Amino acid sequence: MFIQVAFCGCCVCVKSGTNQKKVVSLCHKSWSMETLIIGLLIPLLGTMLGSAFVFMMKDGLSPRVQKALLGFASGVMVAASVWSLLIPSMDMVADSGKWAVFPAAVGFLMGMGFLLMIDCLTPHLHLGTDRPEGLPAHLSRTAMLALAVTIHNLPEGMAVGVVFAGAENGISNISLASAVAVSLGIAIQNIPEGAIISMPMRAAGNSRWRSFVIGSLSGVVEPIGALCVMLLASFLMPVLPYMLAFAAGAMIYVVIEELIPEASGGPHSNLSTIGFAVGFVLMMVLDVVMG
């Protein structure tokens, strides 16, 4: 038996004497590495950029700016949930007719329930309050603030991971461009989130570098969540419509439970409404234009 190896562009073709061929695509492996880097790093860089505001601004963010930024982040998350997660979830099973909504509905409720469970179990503290939530724990204020942001960022990482997993595995209605749009949208809304974390840390007496590091670390859970989803992509493909809706439900939970109450309380709530509108439209345009 002789074996002939041929390099065909980006593929390796192996031919034996029995005329059987095995083709190994090098392009796919390279493309997978590119998607992994894009999916993991862009949102984290957005958080780091926002956290770096602590070096550029002497005073903390004013309540008006915080409300506008919280509204903007809410708008981006809601638009990403609808345009990039729920609609593709139903499109994947469009052949089911009216039942195409079933995976989206079930996955959405499961995502809401999952975040509700984490919210009830994890000790954390929201900005502007002194009343911890979750199970009792002897943790510092800084640690509980960081855990609150971690809960917030987990569904965003899952959303990035599941969309890139769908694009990587050739799902027809999820393109690489639309996956990049989700990653960019999450990164854009991570910029104000990073600032909202690092600036109060600085105002509380922490050094600029400590505030920057804590703010940046709050976004580390996003690439971890995305990586876990992408590594399990081959197992998740049969239930991808459910996973897309699951990520959407988790993100909507964060918006309703955390962002909207913080943005709408007190005066100047109209600024959060304007911020929401801008964030929603920006994410919608990114998804439609790039998708």
Side-chain angles (χ1 to χ4, degrees), residues 99-287:
W99 288 101
V101 73
F102 182 78
V106 172
F108 184 88
L109 293 176
M110 290 177 64
M112 294 277 286
F114 177 71
L115 258 291
L116 174 62
M117 180 185 67
I118 291 182
D119 196 24
C120 292
L121 296 179
T122 306
H124 60 282
L125 182 67
H126 295 291
L127 288 171
T129 66
D130 295 319
R131 192 173 175 183
E133 298 182 8
L135 295 177
H138 300 287
L139 297 174
S140 67
R141 177 181 176 85
T142 299
M144 287 194 289
L145 282 170
L147 284 173
V149 180
T150 299
I151 295 173
H152 182 159
N153 287 339
L154 178 62
E156 297 172 7
M158 295 172 58
V160 171
V162 73
V163 173
F164 270 91
E168 182 180 0
N169 285 270
I171 303 302
S172 59
N173 57 336
I174 303 178
S175 65
L176 177 59
S178 63
V180 172
V182 174
S183 188
L184 283 174
I186 297 297
I188 291 171
Q189 70 99 26
N190 278 350
I191 295 175
E193 285 185 3
I196 289 172
I197 294 300
S198 64
M199 297 300 290
M201 293 289 180
R202 173 59 179 165
N206 294 286
S207 68
R208 295 184 188 276
W209 274 106
R210 178 178 172 82
S211 301
F212 169 73
V213 171
I214 293 174
S216 299
L217 288 177
S218 68
V220 171
V221 69
E222 290 188 7
I224 293 175
L227 179 61
C228 291
V229 172
M230 294 176 73
L231 290 176
L232 296 173
S234 59
F235 302 99
L236 296 177
M237 281 305 102
V239 292
L240 186 61
Y242 294 89
M243 289 302 301
L244 288 166
F246 181 95
M251 290 177 68
I252 294 297
Y253 177 89
V254 170
V255 172
I256 297 173
E257 172 68 15
E258 298 182 15
L259 298 185
I260 290 181
E262 293 178 11
S264 59
H268 312 303
S269 60
N270 58 329
L271 294 176
S272 63
T273 303
I274 297 171
F276 181 95
V278 174
F280 187 94
V281 170
L282 176 63
M283 185 64 232
M284 179 179 64
V285 171
L286 274 176
D287 185 85

